[in-house]
Amino acid sequence: MPGPSNTSADPVSDLVRWAAFSCALVPLVLVLCGASAAGAAGAAVGLGTVTCACRALLRQSERTAARPSSDEIAPHRGRHSRTGTGAHRGGRRSDGRTPEE
């Protein structure tokens, strides 16, 4: 009988959830080991700040990875989506003829 799957739909959320748990657990352990409450609170604030910064960086990297690369993006076609140079209506002709000819 197979057990529960270890893969999650959103691994970043799982990581942040564990980090938040650690931010609550570390100050508790510090107080139990004899550290001052102010020191434990300072550790909690520091860990919370680092956790928030890491979460923001992970989300940014996800957005960057989801963006198509420059190779996949069509090149800019210019004004009015025209392509080429000189294929414009009423442009000059190199053989000296006018557009009406």
Side-chain angles (χ1 to χ4, degrees):
M1 180 169 178
S5 175
N6 288 337
T7 60
S8 173
D10 190 11
V12 172
S13 292
D14 290 344
L15 182 68
V16 171
R17 208 171 296 125
W18 278 107
F21 173 72
S22 297
C23 288
L25 185 64
V26 167
L28 178 67
V29 170
L30 287 173
V31 168
L32 289 175
C33 290
S36 68
V45 169
L47 288 171
T49 302
V50 169
T51 300
C52 289
C54 289
R55 179 182 182 273
L57 290 171
L58 283 168
R59 293 292 181 192
Q60 177 64 34
S61 68
E62 280 185 331
R63 285 192 296 270
T64 302
R67 222 180 294 151
S69 68
S70 60
D71 295 338
E72 297 172 2
I73 298 174
H76 182 66
R77 295 180 60 170
R79 188 174 183 188
H80 303 294
S81 298
R82 295 179 186 155
T83 58
T85 58
H88 305 290
R89 291 169 285 178
R92 293 187 172 194
R93 297 182 182 218
S94 61
D95 59 1
R97 295 185 305 144
T98 61
E100 293 81 30
E101 291 179 341

